[in-house]
Amino acid sequence: MGLFDKLRGKLSGVFSHEGKVDDAFYDELEESLIASDVGASASADIVERLRAVCRKNGYKTHDQAREALRELLADILDSAGDRALHLSTSPSIILVIGVNGVGKTTTIGKLAKLLANRRKRVLLCAGDTFRAAAADQLEIWANRAGVELVRQHEGADPASVVFDAINAAKARGVDVIICDTAGRLHNKQNLMNELNKISRVIDRELPGAHRENLLVLDATTGQNGLLQVRSFAQAVGTTGLVLTKLDGSAKGGIVIAVAETLKIPVKFIGLGEQIGDLREFDPSVFVEELV
């Protein structure tokens, strides 16, 4: 199954037969969007906006409605925010956050390799000190990517590991620090407080540095993903998303839901388990595949 096949399959069915652009068509489109994890509220809004465009322009055919939907979805994704990584200061820092099991550590390894290929000197920070062997796993990825690593013992204070990594980066002339963090449930306040502590250390030790807070989100999560994004955005702010497991097993509509509802851009997508399986998100390609 190729990228976005399930999501595309849902929407292709709506446009697969010739017919009128009428209430039945819009109802079927809305149901397909909801079934694809776009969410009820966002789906209803998209359909209403499509109705308005078709009515204004006198569109009567499915082909005309399909093209209008493409433009509408592309506008939604483009309006979510800046998809570029801003890492011009030395060092800059990327804080990688998210719940357990979404693929944070593998994403960090892939991102480290991508930046190393751009001739950035990268340092990984093993800030997940709670999960057994988390630092060992990150060390494997550091070796694969050919980058440096700062770690402490299991159970150490994560903020102190970040502090050490920042000092090491300053001493070694590192361009980008990428910090792993413990997977945490978005509704556990004590864990969110720990993330705040890490954030305060970064602000104190790297004033004026460029910083990205990237939330890793599993594309198969569905609408619960919106709750995760809201919670992390409130806790530390989120500059962008990395959407993982878009290898054909996911419906992928959460991309549109996040952009439409929360105005946070997807910056990268993960397409597999290999170190090169991280891609910059391209809305035009996504929409072309989708509709």
Side-chain angles (χ1 to χ4, degrees):
M1 220 181 248
L3 179 61
F4 307 121
D5 274 357
K6 285 194 175 181
L7 177 53
R8 182 173 54 201
K10 292 280 186 186
L11 294 182
S12 294
V14 179
F15 296 99
S16 63
H17 52 84
E18 281 304 318
K20 296 179 180 178
V21 178
D22 54 12
D23 287 343
F25 164 81
Y26 289 120
D27 288 344
E28 185 181 359
L29 176 60
E30 185 171 346
E31 289 171 7
S32 295
L33 288 169
I34 292 171
S36 302
D37 279 341
V38 175
S41 177
S43 297
D45 182 62
I46 288 167
V47 169
E48 282 307 305
R49 289 163 67 180
L50 181 63
R51 278 182 186 268
V53 170
C54 290
R55 187 165 54 243
K56 178 182 177 181
N57 293 286
Y59 293 159
K60 303 292 186 183
T61 70
H62 283 196
D63 283 344
Q64 290 172 320
R66 188 205 313 264
E67 188 56 38
L69 181 62
R70 280 181 177 146
E71 292 180 8
L72 176 57
L73 294 179
D75 286 345
I76 289 171
L77 293 170
D78 277 332
S79 68
D82 187 356
R83 296 188 305 277
L85 284 182
H86 295 282
L87 304 170
S88 297
T89 61
S90 291
S92 298
I93 190 162
I94 302 173
L95 187 64
V96 181
I97 57 181
V99 303
N100 276 320
V102 295
K104 287 191 306 299
T105 305
T106 53
T107 294
I108 288 169
K110 295 172 189 176
L111 186 56
K113 182 62 174 177
L114 184 149
L115 293 173
N117 287 343
R118 296 177 179 176
R119 303 190 181 281
K120 296 281 190 182
R121 185 171 180 181
V122 179
L123 173 70
L124 302 189
C125 170
D128 182 357
T129 60
F130 299 135
R131 184 169 61 88
D136 294 338
Q137 184 185 5
L138 192 64
E139 187 165 9
I140 291 170
W141 281 101
N143 291 334
R144 288 176 184 170
V147 302
E148 301 168 71
L149 173 73
V150 167
R151 60 179 294 181
Q152 288 187 19
H153 59 85
E154 187 177 324
D157 178 7
S160 74
V161 186
V162 173
F163 177 83
D164 286 352
I166 290 171
N167 283 333
K170 291 175 179 177
R172 301 176 194 177
V174 163
D175 297 309
V176 182
I177 309 163
I178 308 178
C179 294
D180 193 10
T181 61
R184 58 200 72 230
L185 293 173
H186 55 283
N187 57 358
K188 296 295 185 183
Q189 190 57 47
N190 61 321
L191 294 177
M192 284 299 194
N193 289 341
E194 181 64 46
L195 200 55
N196 272 319
K197 183 179 177 182
I198 292 171
S199 189
R200 290 194 301 272
V201 168
I202 293 171
D203 289 341
R204 186 186 71 222
E205 299 300 321
L206 288 176
H210 285 177
R211 173 177 169 183
E212 296 276 354
N213 294 335
L214 296 183
L215 174 63
V216 181
L217 191 66
D218 181 339
T220 66
T221 301
Q223 287 301 292
N224 186 50
L226 287 176
L227 297 176
Q228 292 179 28
V229 178
R230 280 195 183 97
S231 297
F232 281 102
Q234 289 169 1
V236 293
T238 304
T239 59
L241 304 183
V242 181
L243 204 65
T244 60
K245 305 182 185 178
L246 271 174
D247 54 3
S249 61
K251 289 179 285 187
I254 193 66
V255 175
I256 300 167
V258 169
E260 170 75 350
T261 308
L262 302 177
K263 303 301 181 187
I264 297 174
V266 176
K267 298 201 174 190
F268 294 94
I269 54 175
L271 305 177
E273 294 301 315
Q274 301 304 310
I275 199 163
D277 291 337
L278 189 72
R279 301 282 189 277
E280 292 180 342
F281 180 64
D282 187 332
S284 62
V285 172
F286 175 80
V287 172
E288 192 64 33
E289 288 283 319
L290 177 64
V291 186

